[in-house]
Amino acid sequence: MAKLTQDDILAYLEEATILELNDLVTAIEDKFGVVAAAAVAAPAAAAEEAAGPSEVTVTLTSVGGTKVAVIKAVREITGLGLVDAKKLVDSAPAVIKENIAPEEADQIKEKLMGAGATVEIK
């Protein structure tokens, strides 16, 4: 028997009917003890995990050299009064906002880093 090339096999598959292809799959399953199965989509949880978290926490890790600018930024972000914002900044590392969308966290990070602070998003 002559050895078939990959091109020969593909040419046969292109011209075979659905019934012939079904018979071929059944014969391959019987001959080799395998089962042809349709590809299964990855679970949604795995897709979400790959995309990243849906909620994050922004933590002020250090104030830097411009403490007043950081206090102003914290007041604007959190809505706290001057005294409470200063206490929060003085207690760094401190959580600025929890359970927020990553996009909002990125905006907060930009604002605080622009004021000279160091920020961590988890």
Side-chain angles (χ1 to χ4, degrees):
M1 181 167 133
K3 184 173 182 179
L4 294 174
T5 66
Q6 186 175 1
D7 290 334
D8 294 334
I9 295 168
L10 292 175
Y12 168 76
L13 294 174
E14 285 177 343
E15 294 182 21
T17 65
I18 297 294
L19 188 56
E20 290 170 329
L21 292 174
N22 188 45
D23 290 342
L24 177 61
V25 169
T26 303
I28 291 170
E29 288 175 339
D30 293 342
K31 173 84 173 172
F32 298 105
V34 295
V35 176
V40 178
E48 285 180 23
E49 190 174 306
S54 60
E55 291 185 337
V56 294
T57 298
V58 178
T59 304
L60 174 69
T61 54
S62 71
V63 177
T66 54
K67 188 175 183 179
V68 173
V70 175
I71 293 170
K72 286 180 182 180
V74 168
R75 285 185 68 198
E76 186 179 326
I77 293 164
T78 62
L80 293 173
L82 179 61
V83 174
D84 291 332
K86 182 181 182 311
K87 285 180 186 177
L88 186 63
V89 170
D90 286 341
S91 67
V95 172
I96 300 299
K97 273 201 166 180
E98 297 181 283
N99 304 322
I100 59 173
E103 296 80 18
E104 182 181 355
D106 289 337
Q107 292 171 351
I108 291 170
K109 181 178 180 179
E110 280 183 39
K111 188 171 287 194
L112 288 170
M113 289 182 73
T118 306
V119 179
E120 182 178 80
I121 298 175
K122 285 188 181 178

